Amino acid sequence: MSINKLSIVCILTSVGISSFGQNIPEEFLNNQCQIDSLSKISAYDGALLLALQNLKIAKNTSSPVLLGTAQSEVANCYFYKGNYDSTQHYAKKAIALGTENNLPEVTTSALLSIGNIHYSKFEDVDAIATYQQIDSIAEFSGEKNPYVVKALFNLGKVLLRTYSVQDTSYIGKSEQYFKNAIKMASEINDSDQEHYGYIMIGNIFGQRKEYQKAKPYFKKSLTYFKSNGSIENVANIYWSLGIIETDLNNYDQADAYYKKRLALLTETGDPNQIANANRVYAGFLLRIGDYKQAIPYFEAAYAYFKQADAGSSGVLLGITKNLAESYGKTGDFEQAVEYYGRSFVLQDSLEARKQKSLALDLEAKYQTQKREQEIALLKSQNELAEQQKRNQRNLFLGGIGLTSFAVLFLFVLYRNRQRTNQKLRELDVAKSNFFANISHELRTPLSLIQGPVEQQLERSELSQEDKRNLTIAKKNTQQLATLVDQLLDLSKLESGFYKLHIGKAILSTFLKSQAESFLFSAEKKSQQLQIKISKDENHYWFDADILQKVIGNLLGNALKYSPQNAKINFKAEIIEGVLSLTVTNTGVSLTKKELKEIFNRFHQIHTNKRGTGIGLALTKELVGLHKGKIEAKSGPESVTFHIELPILETDYSNEEKVTVKKSTTLEETYQENTDAVEDESKVSITESDESRDIILIVDDNEDLRNYVSSIFNDEFNIVTADNGSAGFQKALKQVPDLIITDLMMPEEDGLKLTENCKTNDATSHIPILMLTAKAGDENRLTGLETGADAYLTKPFNNKILKQTAKNLLESRRKLQERFSQEIILTPKDISISSYDERFLESLQNVLDDHLVTSDFNSKDFAKTLGMSRMQLHRKLKALTGQTTTEFIRSQRLKLAASLLRKSDVNISEIGYRVGFNDHSYFTKCFRETYGTSPSEFSKK
């Protein structure tokens, strides 16, 4: 029996079939030996055919050991062929079999195939979890086999690629996993895996840039794997050595290693391996700037991964971005744009798949939880049924004591109900007390805020900026106080502590005063508020406080959620002792589902508007308390709320009638808001100064826009926009020096604004500072990946915001200095974005074609680049610190200086060559720039 046959027997006996070795079919053992040999040379088609034969043999033996081993081997072969669906199918069967029969060898082998799928798809979290599961099984069962060794190696590798080199804790964990794997490989006499471990240790030293320590490990393993014909391991060593030589700038040696790897893997005929080798070699060529040579290798890799549908793994996305960059560097902009477009599609597809996967996971968790609840309910019902049977039996056996038992039962039931009702009342009281207490706790700091704010607003020497900021603080304090009052009212209504206070008054006068208090707000928003109240000077009975809150909520919502120029109708009439009140706003509509849920607490119809969803729920409760009814209807372009309230004395009891206490009317409240708005409108931004930088502030919250503007108003020219779409249009028009934007906004958010700006030639240079309440590393990473240059969360520190903005602008000024020091444009040597680099390369091409033309001016320059003169002026000013005219002149002078150093041509002729018609003007400009005349410069 060969060594491989003996290893199979050892595997089978290690899982508890000590006497089975003599009964293993000879054909099974021979096939397994050939599978191992074929796998080492990457001949996976032949290996799969033999593995399927073994599966058929194992099914006839009825041995779970052989069947599980065969299923796992088939899964492993399918994995190496790139057929992940089949891999999962057979691996899951093997896992189930191994778990049921306590076969850790089979379970770890099958789990390794599942983990490898996650690893190949860059699903690092799932890969780590699967490999750690294998490690746990091995530790628990004492299992030591090649599959556990491979899992430990892969666990170390996935940690290396997931975490940065600077994260020494994870580098150390990877190294420990590699050492554990080497130790286990040595214990089971697996020399292949032991030497593979030396490769991994070499990679650790490579990660740490300790190349001289890494090389001996790689070369030791290279000698071993060459001797036993392990193509894949030899190829991996060439890859690692290629990376080391690249980092050491030994490009010729690195190129040789990459070519050897590509040639070696090409011989295997495995399209997946060949595609990866092409991708890696192309990446090397891209790094050293050989873009033209890199393209065919990238194209070869792209063709395979596109056919293999590798979009979900991110590999295809990376290749399309690299192709776009390579084509752009070689001047083939048509192909560059094509591949940039494909990369955006792949990015969207990748995100969609992630969202779909998350949704399916959540659905599975929900179904699991739902089943658990159903099981618990059935169990409870069964227990109740059993209890009822016992009770019936006891009642039957009791016979004579039936009546006494029934009386006792009713008594106990009554007493329990009494106790339950008492507990509910205590809970209501406790809840009411809690809301009352928390309301007072909130009101205290609100008062301490509002008092000093109002005191400061009364100061005559207060600046307009301070007055505007304090007005914003006062208005938001009032909104918070209103919210606290609404929460308290809801609590009182629930617990029954909110009582009617019905009084007698002239209803029409009261309604008119409430409705007219909203006229100014409507006018400010260019809306038409039409008030129609029937003339009736009679006194009626109503709760003024409740009616005031109901009208305030309905009209407030109507104004808030209606667009500009919309009509809002307020109609009130008295019909047979009932107040019929209708509020209709136009320009919006609701679906049947929205109408059904509109009075639900905390439900928000307008998701892009700020709010709590309390107002309409409170309104319905208050109308019900007032013995009325409310309903909502929606037409094609309107929403109507209709209320009917009884207003006769006979409709209310004596306990509900009280002397109407004087309360603050909404008219006073809205007058305060009106004053705040008027004060705010008087604050104006300082007149534009051409010498100052422009900052574009984009936020859907008007108060926040004004507040951020006030921080920068003294030093910068300010432009504002209320959403990403409007912000981008203003960015194109104004070409600001800095953009400060919110992340979450209606129409287009901050991410879309950033993407639009960074991919447009006119705006790609503008630094973007994302200012948002959406905290967390994931959101921060998303913003930065999209192209944001900085990310600050709300609430923010004014000084940090201001300094961050200044740092971004200062970095642009340093870039300008770099440009001004260059003799010619060299964008690839300057740290700028790829879009700015593309723009500068286009700029250079235009200069190459037109710079020497004497009548070439700023207008022609802008037209050739497809930009307006203002956009080009702002773009060049930001990148070079020069106007368009200055930039053209400076480039002509730089070209002249280059010619003077390299040529013996007449100085006058050089001036004409670079676009100067007037020799004296050329000499004057040259002296101003270089401090010497052209003739003196040429002699240096």
Side-chain angles (χ1 to χ4, degrees):
M1 187 178 290
S2 68
I3 294 176
N4 281 328
K5 293 180 182 179
L6 288 172
S7 68
I8 298 299
V9 174
C10 291
I11 288 173
L12 295 172
T13 56
S14 71
V15 294
I17 315 295
S18 59
S19 63
F20 197 81
Q22 280 68 24
N23 297 325
I24 301 175
E26 186 70 20
E27 184 181 1
F28 188 98
L29 290 171
N30 289 332
N31 286 344
Q32 187 62 46
C33 293
Q34 292 183 57
I35 290 171
D36 293 340
S37 300
L38 292 171
S39 296
K40 287 182 179 179
I41 61 173
S42 302
Y44 298 117
D45 287 330
L48 176 60
L49 183 62
L50 293 171
L52 290 170
Q53 289 179 8
N54 270 2
L55 179 59
K56 186 176 181 180
I57 295 170
K59 288 179 179 179
N60 294 329
T61 65
S62 70
S63 166
V65 179
L66 286 185
L67 183 58
T69 302
Q71 288 172 338
S72 180
E73 194 63 68
V74 170
N76 188 51
C77 291
Y78 271 124
F79 167 74
Y80 282 110
K81 284 180 61 62
N83 188 339
Y84 295 155
D85 290 338
S86 296
T87 301
Q88 287 184 322
H89 174 74
Y90 286 101
K92 287 179 179 178
K93 283 188 173 184
I95 292 170
L97 191 66
T99 303
E100 181 181 354
N101 294 278
N102 192 23
L103 306 175
E105 176 76 23
V106 172
T107 305
T108 53
S109 173
L111 280 171
L112 180 63
S113 295
I114 298 294
N116 289 345
I117 290 175
H118 293 309
Y119 182 86
S120 300
K121 289 184 174 182
F122 292 84
E123 298 168 352
D124 291 344
V125 175
D126 293 329
I128 290 172
T130 307
Y131 293 141
Q132 286 179 337
Q133 185 180 356
I134 296 173
D135 189 26
S136 299
I137 292 172
E139 185 176 353
F140 176 77
S141 63
E143 180 68 24
K144 295 179 181 179
N145 61 54
Y147 311 116
V148 179
V149 173
K150 290 179 180 179
L152 292 173
F153 279 135
N154 289 350
L155 187 53
K157 288 195 296 184
V158 74
L159 287 175
L160 277 181
R161 82 177 182 189
T162 304
Y163 298 93
S164 65
V165 178
Q166 289 75 23
D167 196 338
T168 55
S169 63
Y170 282 97
I171 295 291
K173 287 182 180 180
S174 296
E175 186 175 4
Q176 189 58 52
Y177 280 124
F178 293 154
K179 288 180 178 178
N180 292 343
I182 292 172
K183 180 182 177 183
M184 186 178 292
S186 177
E187 291 173 352
I188 63 176
N189 297 318
D190 191 338
S191 298
D192 284 0
Q193 291 299 320
E194 185 178 353
H195 281 82
Y196 178 77
Y198 297 146
I199 298 176
M200 294 298 99
I201 296 297
N203 285 332
I204 289 289
F205 285 120
Q207 290 273 32
R208 295 171 177 164
K209 307 296 184 183
E210 299 175 5
Y211 299 131
Q212 299 310 318
K213 292 182 179 179
K215 284 184 178 182
Y217 283 100
F218 288 131
K219 291 184 177 179
K220 181 179 180 180
S221 298
L222 182 61
T223 301
Y224 173 81
F225 286 119
K226 276 185 175 180
S227 66
N228 70 358
S230 179
I231 295 175
E232 184 176 353
N233 285 314
V234 172
N236 286 336
I237 295 170
Y238 283 147
W239 188 0
S240 297
L241 289 172
I243 293 172
I244 289 176
E245 299 300 343
T246 302
D247 283 352
L248 294 174
N249 296 327
N250 298 330
Y251 296 142
D252 291 339
Q253 186 62 50
D255 187 84
Y257 281 129
Y258 285 121
K259 284 182 177 177
K260 285 182 179 180
R261 178 175 185 263
L262 178 57
L264 198 61
L265 292 177
T266 301
E267 291 177 6
T268 67
D270 182 355
N272 184 53
Q273 295 274 28
I274 297 171
N276 269 310
N278 276 285
R279 178 173 65 90
V280 171
Y281 184 43
F284 162 71
L285 295 172
L286 181 69
R287 175 172 173 176
I288 64 175
D290 196 348
Y291 306 110
K292 186 174 182 180
Q293 190 176 349
I295 288 174
Y297 293 103
F298 275 133
E299 290 282 12
Y302 177 81
Y304 169 76
F305 285 114
K306 183 179 180 182
Q307 182 181 7
D309 191 21
S312 62
S313 68
V315 176
L316 196 58
L317 175 62
I319 295 174
T320 54
K321 288 183 177 179
N322 289 333
L323 275 169
E325 182 179 357
S326 299
Y327 277 118
K329 295 290 187 182
T330 58
D332 191 344
F333 297 116
E334 183 178 355
Q335 285 293 325
V337 170
E338 171 67 21
Y339 277 105
Y340 271 124
R342 295 181 187 181
S343 70
F344 290 141
V345 172
L346 286 169
Q347 183 72 51
D348 292 341
S349 176
L350 186 60
E351 291 299 323
R353 294 190 188 188
K354 288 181 179 178
Q355 293 297 326
K356 182 178 180 180
S357 176
L358 178 60
L360 291 174
D361 183 49
L362 291 174
E363 174 64 19
K365 291 179 179 178
Y366 166 73
Q367 293 296 340
T368 300
Q369 185 180 36
K370 184 178 179 181
R371 284 195 296 271
E372 290 174 352
Q373 291 174 349
E374 290 173 350
I375 291 170
L377 179 60
L378 288 172
K379 183 179 179 181
S380 176
Q381 290 174 343
N382 289 335
E383 290 176 352
L384 180 60
E386 288 296 324
Q387 181 65 40
Q388 288 175 342
K389 289 179 181 178
R390 287 194 295 271
N391 290 343
Q392 289 173 357
R393 185 172 58 252
N394 292 335
L395 286 172
F396 178 76
L397 294 174
I400 299 174
L402 180 60
T403 304
S404 300
F405 182 81
V407 171
L408 179 62
F409 175 77
L410 291 173
F411 172 75
V412 171
L413 184 63
Y414 172 76
R415 186 178 63 181
N416 288 341
R417 183 172 295 177
Q418 289 287 86
R419 289 177 178 175
T420 301
N421 290 337
Q422 179 62 28
K423 286 291 183 183
L424 290 174
R425 283 194 293 270
E426 290 174 0
L427 285 174
D428 282 337
V429 172
K431 184 168 63 173
S432 180
N433 289 337
F434 168 76
F435 276 103
N437 291 335
I438 199 68
S439 175
H440 288 298
E441 290 294 330
L442 288 172
R443 280 183 175 139
T444 299
L446 283 173
S447 300
L448 293 175
I449 296 170
Q450 189 170 356
V453 168
E454 291 177 345
Q455 187 178 20
Q456 290 296 315
L457 282 170
E458 293 174 357
R459 291 172 52 197
S460 59
E461 68 275 13
L462 198 66
S463 69
Q464 287 295 323
E465 180 182 349
D466 290 340
K467 191 171 185 179
R468 180 182 61 184
N469 292 338
L470 289 170
T471 300
I472 293 172
K474 177 183 176 182
K475 184 167 65 174
N476 282 277
T477 303
Q478 291 170 342
Q479 291 176 350
L480 185 55
T482 300
L483 177 60
V484 170
D485 289 339
Q486 288 180 336
L487 286 171
L488 185 58
D489 288 341
L490 275 175
S491 174
K492 287 180 179 180
L493 283 165
E494 276 191 343
S495 57
F497 285 95
Y498 202 119
K499 303 297 183 183
L500 282 175
H501 295 82
I502 302 297
K504 185 180 180 182
I506 301 176
L507 181 57
S508 59
T509 302
F510 176 83
L511 294 174
K512 184 178 180 182
S513 66
Q514 298 304 313
E516 288 181 348
S517 64
F518 288 87
L519 286 171
F520 179 81
S521 298
E523 182 180 350
K524 182 175 182 290
K525 202 175 176 182
S526 301
Q527 296 171 333
Q528 300 178 36
L529 175 56
Q530 298 178 349
I531 301 171
K532 185 177 180 181
I533 300 172
S534 61
K535 293 182 179 180
D536 191 333
E537 299 299 325
N538 295 321
H539 287 72
Y540 293 98
W541 296 81
F542 59 94
D543 187 319
D545 183 60
I546 288 179
L547 197 52
Q548 175 186 348
K549 290 176 179 177
V550 168
I551 294 172
N553 275 328
L554 292 180
L555 277 179
N557 282 345
L559 294 173
K560 181 178 181 180
Y561 297 122
S562 296
Q564 287 188 341
N565 302 316
K567 291 183 180 180
I568 294 93
N569 296 318
F570 180 89
K571 180 180 179 182
E573 56 183 337
I574 299 169
I575 304 172
E576 297 180 357
V578 175
L579 170 63
S580 176
L581 193 151
T582 303
V583 176
T584 302
N585 56 309
T586 60
V588 293
S589 62
L590 300 176
T591 64
K592 290 182 179 180
K593 181 180 179 182
E594 289 170 338
L595 283 172
K596 186 177 179 181
E597 298 177 347
I598 195 168
F599 293 113
N600 291 346
R601 197 169 305 174
F602 305 117
H603 177 74
Q604 291 177 275
I605 299 297
H606 304 272
T607 56
N608 62 339
K609 294 283 189 178
R610 287 182 169 81
T612 60
I614 295 176
L616 288 177
L618 176 61
T619 298
K620 183 178 181 181
E621 297 281 354
L622 291 174
V623 170
L625 180 66
H626 209 298
K627 302 182 181 181
K629 58 183 180 179
I630 181 172
E631 63 177 347
K633 297 180 180 179
S634 180
E637 287 292 329
S638 67
V639 176
T640 300
F641 290 90
H642 179 70
I643 293 175
E644 291 184 357
L645 289 179
I647 52 175
L648 298 180
E649 182 179 6
T650 55
D651 294 321
Y652 302 98
S653 65
N654 292 331
E655 291 76 14
E656 294 169 334
K657 299 173 188 173
V658 295
T659 303
V660 180
K661 60 182 179 180
K662 182 179 180 181
S663 61
T664 304
T665 66
L666 283 180
E667 184 177 7
E668 297 172 7
T669 304
Y670 274 85
Q671 184 60 44
E672 291 179 355
N673 288 339
T674 300
D675 294 339
V677 173
E678 289 175 342
D679 288 338
E680 184 179 324
S681 65
K682 294 176 184 177
V683 181
S684 60
I685 297 176
T686 306
E687 291 184 0
S688 176
D689 182 353
E690 178 63 22
S691 64
R692 302 201 302 183
D693 289 333
I694 298 174
I695 294 181
L696 170 61
I697 299 171
V698 187
D699 199 298
D700 59 324
N701 186 299
E702 182 180 1
D703 290 339
L704 192 61
R705 286 200 307 275
N706 292 333
Y707 182 63
V708 176
S709 298
S710 70
I711 297 174
F712 296 97
N713 198 39
D714 291 338
E715 301 178 46
F716 303 92
N717 293 333
I718 306 299
V719 180
T720 63
D722 58 2
N723 60 66
S725 177
F728 179 58
Q729 295 305 317
K730 290 194 176 182
L732 288 174
K733 183 178 180 181
Q734 301 289 339
V735 191
D737 299 278
L738 174 67
I739 296 175
I740 300 176
T741 178
D742 191 11
L743 178 60
M744 300 176 66
M745 293 182 292
E747 294 191 34
E748 288 185 358
D749 59 15
L751 295 177
K752 185 63 177 177
L753 170 63
T754 302
E755 180 184 340
N756 288 338
C757 288
K758 290 299 183 179
T759 55
N760 188 284
D761 284 341
T763 57
S764 61
H765 67 285
I766 303 172
I768 296 178
L769 193 164
M770 204 163 278
L771 187 66
T772 176
K774 198 171 183 181
D777 288 343
E778 182 177 357
N779 296 311
R780 180 184 180 88
L781 179 62
T782 301
L784 295 175
E785 285 179 342
T786 306
D789 298 88
Y791 192 104
L792 295 179
T793 56
K794 302 173 186 175
F796 54 85
N797 182 292
N798 294 355
K799 292 182 179 179
I800 293 177
L801 173 62
K802 199 167 186 178
Q803 189 59 49
T804 303
K806 288 184 176 180
N807 289 347
L808 291 174
L809 292 170
E810 183 62 24
S811 68
R812 279 292 164 179
R813 293 191 181 93
K814 290 180 180 179
L815 185 61
Q816 293 173 6
E817 294 174 3
R818 281 288 303 276
F819 273 114
S820 64
Q821 295 168 4
E822 298 289 324
I823 296 300
I824 58 173
L825 284 174
T826 54
K828 66 181 180 181
D829 296 328
I830 300 172
S831 179
I832 56 178
S833 72
S834 60
Y835 287 96
D836 285 343
E837 186 173 335
R838 185 186 70 183
F839 167 76
L840 291 173
E841 288 175 347
S842 300
L843 200 73
Q844 185 66 65
N845 291 335
V846 173
L847 292 177
D848 291 342
D849 294 337
H850 302 285
L851 184 64
V852 297
T853 306
S854 60
D855 60 350
F856 181 68
N857 54 30
S858 59
K859 182 179 179 180
D860 298 327
F861 201 176
K863 184 178 180 181
T864 306
L865 287 170
M867 302 170 70
S868 70
R869 293 175 66 182
M870 190 281 293
Q871 286 176 332
L872 180 59
H873 167 78
R874 295 286 301 162
K875 180 87 175 182
L876 287 175
K877 193 73 175 176
L879 289 176
T880 68
Q882 299 173 329
T883 65
T884 308
T885 303
E886 291 170 346
F887 179 79
I888 294 173
R889 184 169 63 241
S890 69
Q891 292 302 305
R892 283 172 170 166
L893 292 172
K894 287 177 183 180
L895 180 58
S898 178
L899 292 173
L900 286 169
R901 286 175 176 171
K902 300 177 182 179
S903 173
D904 295 327
V905 180
N906 182 276
I907 293 174
S908 298
E909 186 178 344
I910 287 178
Y912 287 114
R913 277 192 182 185
V914 298
F916 285 90
N917 286 332
D918 189 335
H919 175 68
S920 61
Y921 179 64
F922 165 64
T923 303
K924 176 178 177 296
C925 293
F926 195 97
R927 185 183 295 277
E928 289 177 353
T929 302
Y930 294 100
T932 182
S933 67
S935 58
E936 293 171 347
F937 185 87
S938 64
K939 295 174 183 179
K940 291 184 180 180

